[in-house]
Amino acid sequence: MNNNEVVEFANIKIVDSMKLGKNDYCYIDSFKTEKSIRKLIIKDHLSDALSNRKLKLVYQPQLDVKSNDVFGVETLLRWTHPTLGKIKPSEFIYIAHELRLMYDLFKYTFKQMCEDISKLRKSLIGIQNFSVNISVEQLMEESLIATIDYITQKYNINPSSITFELTEDIEIVNLSKIIVILNSLKDRGYKIAMDDFGNGYFSFSNLIDLPINYVKLDKSFADRVHNKRDINFVKDIINIVKKLGCKIIIEGVETLYQYEQWSRLNCDYIQGYITSRPISKEKLEEVVIVINEKFGDDKPLFITNSDYIVNHGDGSNDSV
């Protein structure tokens, strides 16, 4: 904790004390203190992490249910801090929002993803799609389209190989402007996915209004395939999405039973630990080969992100 962080933390405690009134004081809660210090450190180091490429990209395969081949990968961001260790994306993304670094975070992720694609294109011919998250806040940046065009042209990336996953935990206020921007991206050849559908502010109305190609059902749906009532509900959602001309991706699939049920439900793509944990670009080629060669066996594969050990069975994995 540097001098600036000490001063900022002291100021926080002064404000807390003033809220109690004059001639008063407040105790320092050790748990709250630890959380506050952690937040200050992340705030202080996030900009430097972006500038010096200390945040790393990992990729999680998405399996085509019909062909049992890897169709695409979702691009995810990870940060291992020298003193704090692994920092959850939800934690540093929240702070990036506070620091007005969300657009910088998107540019960083998108540029590095395109750079990786350019390096991997010869060895990963079978992967048709690289998806990357984009929030409504990032989508509303005036220079977004120009930035995307510049980066894809720099690395000679075909727009049809990129999907923007629209993810949001706030209500879309300016829907008409969002539609214009998404249509502009689609006109260039990019694809649009609605992320985490069923767990947030996205509604069936958004399904109709937004120009999307894929609907990603939230991972909370993955296990809703054990009784007739849940299965019928999932069927109805899939039927509605299909009638709108969109394809379905289910996230969070971990067990053989879930995989089999979603295959029967006419889901298009499956993502989750049933195939692989998120992995680095250095390991991606080898893992994709393993999945494509052996996923057609009697039981799906579980691939660790450390040594590619293939374990048959239907046990679940810890969260990444």
Side-chain angles (χ1 to χ4, degrees):
M1 192 172 185
N2 61 34
N3 292 337
N4 290 333
E5 290 165 351
V6 171
V7 172
E8 186 173 348
F9 182 68
N11 287 334
I12 290 172
K13 303 318 294 181
I14 290 172
V15 171
D16 289 343
S17 179
M18 290 174 64
K19 288 177 181 178
L20 299 174
K22 293 182 178 180
N23 301 319
D24 215 326
Y25 59 89
C26 65
Y27 290 102
I28 296 178
D29 184 291
S30 59
F31 176 71
K32 290 182 179 178
T33 301
E34 185 178 342
K35 287 184 66 178
S36 298
I37 292 173
R38 179 181 176 86
K39 185 175 181 179
L40 287 174
I41 293 173
I42 295 172
K43 274 188 172 183
D44 195 48
H45 294 177
L46 182 55
S47 182
D48 174 73
L50 286 169
S51 300
N52 293 289
R53 299 186 63 160
K54 295 178 181 177
L55 280 74
K56 303 300 180 183
L57 266 58
V58 292
Y59 299 94
Q60 186 168 36
Q62 298 166 327
L63 189 74
D64 186 318
V65 173
K66 292 182 179 178
S67 69
N68 274 341
D69 290 330
V70 174
F71 156 77
V73 292
E74 180 180 4
T75 307
L76 302 164
L77 202 55
R78 296 290 185 263
W79 184 14
T80 302
H81 190 274
T83 56
L84 299 179
K86 292 182 179 180
I87 303 174
K88 291 183 179 180
S90 57
E91 188 175 9
F92 66 76
I93 288 173
Y94 178 81
I95 291 174
H97 175 75
E98 287 188 343
L99 297 176
R100 298 182 182 276
L101 289 174
M102 287 297 289
Y103 188 48
D104 294 302
L105 206 62
F106 169 77
K107 288 189 293 183
Y108 177 94
T109 305
F110 188 69
K111 180 178 182 297
Q112 194 168 325
M113 181 189 76
C114 288
E115 185 179 324
D116 287 350
I117 295 173
S118 69
K119 293 177 180 178
L120 293 168
R121 71 173 88 231
K122 291 182 180 179
S123 59
L124 295 174
I125 298 175
I127 292 185
Q128 304 171 39
N129 184 68
F130 283 77
S131 63
V132 61
N133 290 333
I134 188 167
S135 70
V136 170
E137 178 183 352
Q138 294 163 337
L139 203 64
M140 297 290 281
E141 284 287 337
E142 290 186 7
S143 62
L144 175 75
I145 301 294
T147 297
I148 290 172
D149 285 344
Y150 171 77
I151 293 174
T152 51
Q153 289 169 16
K154 178 180 179 180
Y155 292 102
N156 193 26
I157 306 298
N158 188 335
S160 65
S161 66
I162 293 176
T163 295
F164 294 104
E165 294 190 10
L166 186 60
T167 175
E168 199 51 77
D169 57 1
I170 61 172
E171 187 176 2
I172 298 177
V173 177
N174 196 337
L175 182 62
S176 59
K177 186 173 181 179
I178 292 297
I179 292 173
V180 169
I181 297 169
L182 292 180
N183 275 322
S184 181
L185 289 170
K186 285 196 71 174
D187 289 344
R188 285 166 163 77
Y190 301 101
K191 298 181 179 68
I192 309 297
M194 181 181 288
D195 196 18
D196 295 332
F197 182 75
N199 184 31
Y201 284 89
F202 286 136
S203 65
F204 282 106
S205 176
N206 294 138
L207 276 179
I208 297 171
D209 295 331
L210 295 174
I212 56 178
N213 304 93
Y214 306 103
V215 173
K216 293 191 74 174
L217 296 181
D218 182 72
K219 58 185 178 183
S220 61
F221 281 94
D223 205 35
R224 287 189 172 274
V225 285
H226 288 278
N227 61 69
K228 187 174 181 180
R229 182 173 180 271
D230 281 353
I231 290 174
N232 285 336
F233 176 69
V234 168
K235 280 182 179 179
D236 289 340
I237 292 177
I238 291 175
N239 288 336
I240 291 172
V241 171
K242 295 279 187 177
K243 286 179 180 178
L244 293 172
C246 302
K247 293 192 174 183
I248 290 278
I249 304 171
I250 177 64
E251 298 183 88
V253 175
E254 297 184 353
T255 69
L256 175 60
Y257 177 80
Q258 291 171 344
Y259 166 80
E260 291 174 338
Q261 290 300 312
W262 283 98
S263 298
R264 294 190 185 104
L265 287 169
N266 200 26
C267 179
D268 297 291
Y269 308 107
I270 283 174
Q271 180 178 340
Y273 290 175
I274 188 80
T275 54
S276 173
R277 291 172 178 266
I279 46 181
S280 66
K281 73 175 187 294
E282 290 80 13
K283 298 175 182 177
L284 184 58
E285 180 183 0
E286 185 171 349
V287 170
V288 168
I289 290 172
V290 171
I291 294 172
N292 286 344
E293 287 183 349
K294 297 186 178 180
F295 202 89
D297 292 344
D298 291 338
K299 294 181 180 180
L301 311 176
F302 294 95
I303 303 172
T304 68
N305 63 346
S306 58
D307 54 11
Y308 318 120
I309 295 175
V310 178
N311 299 312
H312 292 280
D314 62 353
S316 61
N317 297 283
D318 294 331
S319 298
V320 172

